[in-house]
Amino acid sequence: MLFIKKEGKREPKGRAELRELITQISVLFISLRQVNRVILQEEDRVKSETENAKIPVDHTTLQLHNLMYEKNHYLKAIKACKDFKSKYPDIELVPEEEFFRDAPEELKGDPLLKEDPHKRMLHRLNFELFQRKELCKQREELEQRKKNLQETIANRKKFISSLPSHLKALKKASLPVQQQLGILHTKRTKQHQLAELLPAPLYILYSQLLAQKEAFEEPIDLEIVGSTKDAQSFARQQANKDTGASTGIEESKLDDDVPEEEDDSQRRRKRPKKVQIKENVDATGFYQVHPLSVSVHVYDDELTSGTKPSKLVTLKFEYLLKLHVVCVGVDGVQGGSENNFLINLFPDDTGIELPHQIAKLSSGVNFVYDEKRAQRPFKWVQHLAGIDFLPEAPPFLADNISGIDEAAKGASTLAGLNIYRQQHRVQTILERIRARKKSQLALK
């Protein structure tokens, strides 16, 4: 058509060709439209088929994603379970034999336990839990019992703490009954407590006299007199001295009589007489006595029916700390004729001469026992107090030196001393004291 128009063919033949070409173009265009419509329909069909095929693919893809998610979840859970540190490996479970023997029937009755280790472990853990619950119940019961016992102990402690006051009131209330019945238990207990503070010689003397009284119903009464506080203080000082914790305590006590009011000039002026002053001071310190002493009330052993025994004399026994001797005298008498009946109670025993070498060496060569003191260190008192000693010279040597008269005197002395060296020393001494006192009273 373009070529025809360019050529300018306007004849009827050209026009016929154009019309024929237009018809062909229209037919071709219609065919093109038809083909296009078929293509579009085919495209719609393919799209529809594609959409229909996409639905199961999407569903399958979704299922795949879900499965992958679940797979990852399970893998994490498995890893967490593998990494989890349980407490049961640290639990000391009972052995399987004990589990099957002691566990309740509901825990061990499953027949599959022996084949399934996991299930067996669970049941063992349940059995452990069951045991621990039982132990918790027992613990609660024991705690309650402990609380009750503590309350009971507290009540008893409270009662015990108040018991001394009740006992003291009971003792005080029982004193009239004891006096009426003649059973002075309270006084005896106090005397026994004081006896523990006595020095060893006085304690031996007290125990022997008390044993003689209780064994043979000897008509005597014993009493420990003195300051209890001073005796306790002295006992503590002696204990400290024995352990080496305190030195010079006894010396300071014995030197209390040393004059301290002199100044230095007076001491310098009296320097030539220093030894004499020291001897005088020591002489006063030698008579320092223990804070406690023993008083013995001696009664007449000749009893008449219906009358109480009369008191003959009260003897007071003291212990001299420096000389380590026991002295005796009539209680309440400062000297004089009241003490004369004790002199030579046994032959050659006047009480003026120190009885053993220890006292003589401690006192010094120039020491002379004061005859004005009421208490004297008789030899028989030392034997009674357990202080035994050897004579200064053997008897045969004294006999050869003194001659025939002295030998006879020595034999008499030994015969007299043999009396109180026998087993019944206390009885022999008390008999002699009663005999001497009765003779003295008869002379008066």
Side-chain angles (χ1 to χ4, degrees):
M1 289 175 67
L2 181 62
F3 178 72
I4 290 173
K5 286 182 178 182
K6 286 181 177 181
E7 289 292 329
K9 294 178 178 182
R10 297 191 180 272
E11 302 88 14
K13 187 180 178 179
R15 293 179 179 178
E17 290 177 1
L18 285 176
R19 284 194 297 268
E20 183 179 358
L21 289 174
I22 290 171
T23 303
Q24 292 177 359
I25 288 171
S26 299
V27 172
L28 291 175
F29 182 77
I30 293 170
S31 297
L32 180 62
R33 293 290 302 271
Q34 182 180 359
V35 172
N36 187 25
R37 184 172 66 243
V38 171
I39 292 174
L40 290 178
Q41 289 178 353
E42 185 66 21
E43 181 182 2
D44 291 337
R45 185 184 64 78
V46 171
K47 284 184 178 180
S48 177
E49 291 179 358
T50 303
E51 289 293 334
N52 293 332
K54 186 179 179 181
I55 292 174
V57 172
D58 291 340
H59 181 71
T60 305
T61 304
L62 181 61
Q63 287 181 347
L64 177 61
H65 286 297
N66 291 336
L67 290 175
M68 294 299 294
Y69 177 78
E70 290 180 3
K71 175 185 175 183
N72 294 331
H73 175 73
Y74 286 132
L75 290 176
K76 290 180 180 179
I78 291 172
K79 186 176 183 300
C81 291
K82 288 182 178 180
D83 296 339
F84 177 73
K85 293 183 180 180
S86 176
K87 292 183 178 180
Y88 80 85
D90 299 332
I91 300 175
E92 296 181 0
L93 298 178
V94 296
E96 294 186 3
E97 295 79 7
E98 296 183 10
F99 167 73
F100 287 108
R101 184 188 62 196
D102 301 333
E105 191 64 29
E106 58 270 13
L107 294 179
K108 66 178 180 179
D110 193 348
L112 300 177
L113 287 181
K114 295 184 178 180
E115 300 177 359
D116 190 352
H118 177 67
K119 195 171 185 180
R120 185 168 62 250
M121 177 60 71
L122 293 178
H123 281 69
R124 290 177 65 189
L125 290 173
N126 290 332
F127 179 61
E128 181 70 21
L129 179 62
F130 171 77
Q131 286 184 326
R132 296 198 177 197
K133 287 182 178 179
E134 293 295 327
L135 291 176
C136 288
K137 291 180 181 179
Q138 294 181 7
R139 180 177 177 273
E140 292 178 358
E141 294 176 358
L142 292 176
E143 288 288 345
Q144 184 64 31
R145 183 181 177 187
K146 177 183 176 182
K147 184 178 180 181
N148 296 335
L149 290 176
Q150 287 178 346
E151 292 178 357
T152 304
I153 292 173
N155 294 332
R156 291 184 179 180
K157 282 184 178 180
K158 184 177 180 182
F159 171 74
I160 291 174
S161 62
S162 63
L163 189 60
S165 60
H166 295 301
L167 293 177
K168 187 175 181 181
L170 182 60
K171 286 182 180 180
K172 187 175 181 181
S174 65
L175 285 178
V177 180
Q178 294 182 23
Q179 293 176 359
Q180 186 69 24
L181 298 177
I183 306 174
L184 301 179
H185 177 72
T186 303
K187 183 178 180 181
R188 182 182 302 174
T189 303
K190 185 177 180 181
Q191 290 292 308
H192 288 176
Q193 293 175 354
L194 287 176
E196 297 179 357
L197 300 175
L198 289 173
L202 284 184
Y203 182 85
I204 294 174
L205 184 144
Y206 176 81
S207 62
Q208 290 196 47
L209 292 174
L210 184 62
Q212 180 72 19
K213 175 186 176 182
E214 294 181 353
F216 301 102
E217 297 183 357
E218 190 74 30
I220 58 174
D221 284 335
L222 303 175
E223 185 179 3
I224 300 175
V225 295
S227 175
T228 305
K229 293 183 179 180
D230 294 343
Q232 292 175 347
S233 177
F234 180 78
R236 285 194 295 268
Q237 291 176 3
Q238 289 298 112
N240 293 334
K241 182 179 179 181
D242 293 340
T243 55
S246 175
T247 57
I249 298 177
E250 184 177 358
E251 286 76 4
S252 62
K253 288 286 185 179
L254 296 175
D255 293 340
D256 287 341
D257 296 332
V258 177
E260 297 179 355
E261 296 178 357
E262 298 178 352
D263 55 5
D264 295 336
S265 60
Q266 291 177 345
R267 291 179 183 176
R268 285 194 294 270
R269 287 196 300 270
K270 293 182 180 181
R271 189 177 299 275
K273 298 182 180 181
K274 182 177 181 180
V275 176
Q276 185 65 28
I277 293 174
K278 186 177 185 302
E279 290 179 357
N280 293 336
V281 171
D282 289 342
T284 57
F286 286 138
Y287 299 114
Q288 184 184 7
V289 299
H290 191 271
L292 296 180
S293 59
V294 179
S295 295
V296 181
H297 306 283
V298 182
Y299 296 92
D300 191 359
D301 56 352
E302 297 179 359
L303 302 178
T304 58
S305 59
T307 60
K308 294 182 178 181
S310 60
K311 183 188 295 186
L312 295 178
V313 66
T314 300
L315 300 179
K316 184 178 182 181
F317 295 87
E318 297 178 344
Y319 181 69
L320 300 184
L321 299 173
K322 188 73 174 180
L323 298 178
H324 303 286
V325 295
V326 180
C327 300
V328 63
V330 178
D331 192 13
V333 178
Q334 299 299 326
S337 60
E338 291 293 334
N339 284 325
N340 290 340
F341 77 97
L342 294 177
I343 300 175
N344 290 324
L345 186 65
F346 293 91
D348 195 20
D349 192 6
T350 61
I352 300 301
E353 183 181 0
L354 296 178
H356 51 77
Q357 292 295 317
I358 299 176
K360 292 180 181 180
L361 292 176
S362 300
S363 59
V365 180
N366 298 326
F367 177 78
V368 178
Y369 193 84
D370 188 4
E371 299 182 8
K372 295 181 181 180
R373 295 191 80 250
Q375 282 75 23
R376 293 188 180 186
F378 295 102
K379 295 179 181 179
W380 58 268
V381 182
Q382 316 310 314
H383 289 289
L384 190 62
I387 305 176
D388 293 327
F389 49 86
L390 294 173
E392 298 181 17
F396 70 89
L397 182 61
D399 294 344
N400 293 334
I401 295 175
S402 300
I404 299 175
D405 295 336
E406 292 295 331
K409 183 178 179 181
S412 176
T413 301
L414 294 176
L417 291 176
N418 189 40
I419 297 176
Y420 68 87
R421 286 175 179 169
Q422 296 175 357
Q423 296 295 329
H424 304 289
R425 290 181 178 180
V426 179
Q427 183 177 0
T428 304
I429 292 171
L430 292 176
E431 289 177 356
R432 290 218 171 188
I433 290 175
R434 287 194 182 95
R436 281 289 183 94
K437 189 61 180 178
K438 288 180 182 179
S439 301
Q440 186 183 36
L441 293 177
L443 291 175
K444 289 184 179 180

